[in-house]
């Protein structure tokens, strides 16, 4: 998308975008797409690791956007977001919008056993109490987290961006491609991805004997002799997704690629991907990709133009509903 053009619409206030330390490159790209400079803020730590924030420009009455994925180190980045939000609110910002492309703790969205927390709801409460007026996020692990907030939340998806990467290849040979959901819970995501490319889907039935470990029990659908595109929201340790990819390859798949919104890539994830049969891994930049994790198999697509367009429309009171599915 080209640089956002100025609008004749009424504005909510002068636009200010601040970057936390989690993903400053993404924030810089968003600001560039908006045609503005990042706001001036200092985020430091005291000797005992307490976070200290200093907003170095006036925000009174302004429409403020704080871009901060709550990825690793999750707790530090979350506290940084909360403190920056509080600082802007206490400085009389007109609106404080928190842009959390990757929402940490999203996998703790319900109780599966007794005496468990619902941490995703706790984080929602913390963000609200810190003074946020709106939340902007992408591909929540569990869609119901939207309902944990009593303030407006805009939930975007990267499905269109990711599927576009495969569009030319799949368009020429649709019968040779199939979209695969790595589990029953991801069927809706895989179906949306497949619909954009007009492809069929297959579903992996698996079980989890313990966290981050899975066993493939069965595959529903035809995948033999085809290029499989495994679609997921998060790649964490990559153990589960690599296990699924290797199973597909061993049982007749021609090639296997992965498309996922959030490249968490914890622990030995990159090594697992390198040693697997996976041809390529397509992710977005919701989470900063360190140099040591930029392996040859990983291709990264930027969500900055989408976020910039959303911010521009919110700031000028334009409708953003068309962005939810289109992923422009």
């Amino acid at each position: 998308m080209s640089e956002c053009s100025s609008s004749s619409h009424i504005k909510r206030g002068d636009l200010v975008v601040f970057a936390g330390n989690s993903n400053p490159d993404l924030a810089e790209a968003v600001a560039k797409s908006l045609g503005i400079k990042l706001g001036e803020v200092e985020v430091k730590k005291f000797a005992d690791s307490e976070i200290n924030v200093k907003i170095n420009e006036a925000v009174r009455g302004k429409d403020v956007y704080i871009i901060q994925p709550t990825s690793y180190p999750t707790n530090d980045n979350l506290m940084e977001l909360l403190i920056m939000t509080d600082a802007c609110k206490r400085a009389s910002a007109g609106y404080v919008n928190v842009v959390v492309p990757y929402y940490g703790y999203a996998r703790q969205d319900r109780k599966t056993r007794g005496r468990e927390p619902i941490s995703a709801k706790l984080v929602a409460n913390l963000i609200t109490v810190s003074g946020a007026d709106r939340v902007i996020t992408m591909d929540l692990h569990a869609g119901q987290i939207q309902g944990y907030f009593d303030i407006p939340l805009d939930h975007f998806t990267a499905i269109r961006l990711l599927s576009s990467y495969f569009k030319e290849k799949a368009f020429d040979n649709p019968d040779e491609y199939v979209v695969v959901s790595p589990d029953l819970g991801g069927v809706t995501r895989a179906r949306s991805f497949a619909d954009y490319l007009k492809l069929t889907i297959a579903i992996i039935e698996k079980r989890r004997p313990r966290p981050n470990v899975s066993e493939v029990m069965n595959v529903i659908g035809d995948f033999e002799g085809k290029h499989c595109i495994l679609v997921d929201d998060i790649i964490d340790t990559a153990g589960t997704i690599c296990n699924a990819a290797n199973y597909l390859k061993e049982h007749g798949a021609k090639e296997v690629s992965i498309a996922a919104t959030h490249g968490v890539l914890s622990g030995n994830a990159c090594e697992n991907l390198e040693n697997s049969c996976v041809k390529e891994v397509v992710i977005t930049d919701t989470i900063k990709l360190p140099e040591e994790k930029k392996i040859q198999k990983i291709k990264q697509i930027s969500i900055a133009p989408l976020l910039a367009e959303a911010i521009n429309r919110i700031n000028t009171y334009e409708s953003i509903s068309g962005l939810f599915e289109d992923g422009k």
Side-chain angles (χ1 to χ4, degrees):
M1 184 186 71
S2 59
E3 184 178 293
C4 291
S5 58
S6 60
S7 174
S8 59
H9 286 71
I10 298 172
K11 292 186 178 182
R12 303 207 308 176
D14 290 342
L15 189 62
V16 182
V17 176
F18 290 117
N21 287 323
S22 178
N23 197 343
D25 292 342
L26 174 62
E28 183 68 49
V30 170
K32 185 176 180 181
S33 288
L34 288 166
I36 62 175
K37 291 183 178 181
L38 281 175
E40 296 182 15
V41 59
E42 293 180 45
V43 184
K44 299 179 180 179
K45 285 187 178 181
F46 291 116
D48 64 351
S49 80
E50 284 186 9
I51 295 169
N52 176 248
V53 170
K54 183 180 179 183
I55 307 295
N56 288 331
E57 63 179 82
V59 295
R60 184 179 296 272
K62 295 184 178 180
D63 192 17
V64 173
Y65 295 81
I66 302 169
I67 300 179
Q68 176 80 337
T70 51
S71 49
Y72 177 85
T74 306
N75 298 331
D76 284 357
N77 287 331
L78 175 59
M79 280 304 300
E80 191 177 295
L81 172 66
L82 299 175
I83 294 170
M84 288 180 72
T85 303
D86 182 75
C88 290
K89 198 69 175 180
R90 292 179 187 277
S92 299
Y95 298 90
V96 182
N97 311 273
V98 298
V99 184
V100 191
Y102 173 71
Y103 186 90
Y105 287 101
R107 285 172 285 183
Q108 298 182 49
D109 62 296
R110 65 193 185 281
K111 291 181 67 172
T112 57
R113 295 184 295 272
R115 299 179 295 282
E116 279 190 336
I118 304 180
S119 303
K121 170 58 176 169
L122 173 61
V123 170
N125 289 345
L126 291 170
I127 290 174
T128 303
V129 170
S130 71
D133 295 298
R134 177 184 293 269
V135 176
I136 300 169
T137 189
M138 293 201 67
D139 285 320
L140 290 167
H141 183 68
Q144 65 264 26
I145 293 173
Q146 297 173 73
Y148 295 174
F149 288 88
D150 293 324
I151 57 177
L153 181 144
D154 298 317
H155 182 214
F156 296 102
T157 179
I159 290 297
R160 184 63 176 268
L161 289 171
L162 293 168
S163 63
S164 294
Y165 178 87
F166 296 93
K167 187 173 183 178
E168 187 174 343
K169 302 173 186 177
F171 182 80
D172 292 335
N173 303 289
D175 294 336
E176 296 181 12
Y177 282 78
V178 61
V179 176
V180 182
S181 172
D183 51 43
L184 296 172
V187 172
T188 300
R189 185 180 304 108
R191 172 60 67 190
S192 297
F193 192 99
D195 286 346
Y196 282 126
L197 299 177
K198 295 180 171 54
L199 300 177
T200 58
I201 72 166
I203 306 165
I204 293 177
E205 183 185 3
K206 68 182 182 186
R207 70 183 186 94
R208 284 190 179 275
R210 57 186 184 277
N212 289 117
V213 176
S214 68
E215 296 177 359
V216 176
M217 307 297 291
N218 184 36
V219 179
I220 304 167
D222 180 24
F223 68 92
E224 293 184 22
K226 296 186 178 183
H227 186 142
C228 298
I229 306 172
L230 275 164
V231 178
D232 212 344
D233 62 326
I234 296 172
I235 303 177
D236 191 353
T237 62
T240 296
I241 201 82
C242 287
N243 186 29
N246 290 333
Y247 181 93
L248 293 170
K249 184 70 173 178
E250 291 167 4
H251 289 77
K254 185 177 181 181
E255 289 181 328
V256 182
S257 296
I258 297 173
T261 302
H262 310 297
V264 177
L265 303 176
S266 304
N268 296 325
C270 291
E271 183 180 344
N272 291 334
L273 291 168
E274 283 279 41
N275 295 332
S276 73
C277 67
V278 175
K279 179 183 178 183
E280 57 186 348
V281 182
V282 186
I283 60 175
T284 74
D285 58 352
T286 56
I287 297 172
K288 183 178 179 180
L289 188 65
E291 287 298 324
E292 65 271 17
K293 293 183 179 180
K294 292 182 179 179
I295 61 175
Q296 191 171 358
K297 286 187 178 182
I298 293 179
K299 309 292 189 300
Q300 199 170 36
I301 298 173
S302 182
I303 61 165
L306 172 60
L307 291 180
E309 182 64 28
I311 289 171
N312 185 62
R313 293 191 187 191
I314 292 168
N315 178 249
T316 54
Y317 291 105
E318 293 182 71
S319 172
I320 60 172
S321 59
L323 298 178
F324 290 130
E325 295 181 358
D326 291 345
K328 293 178 183 176

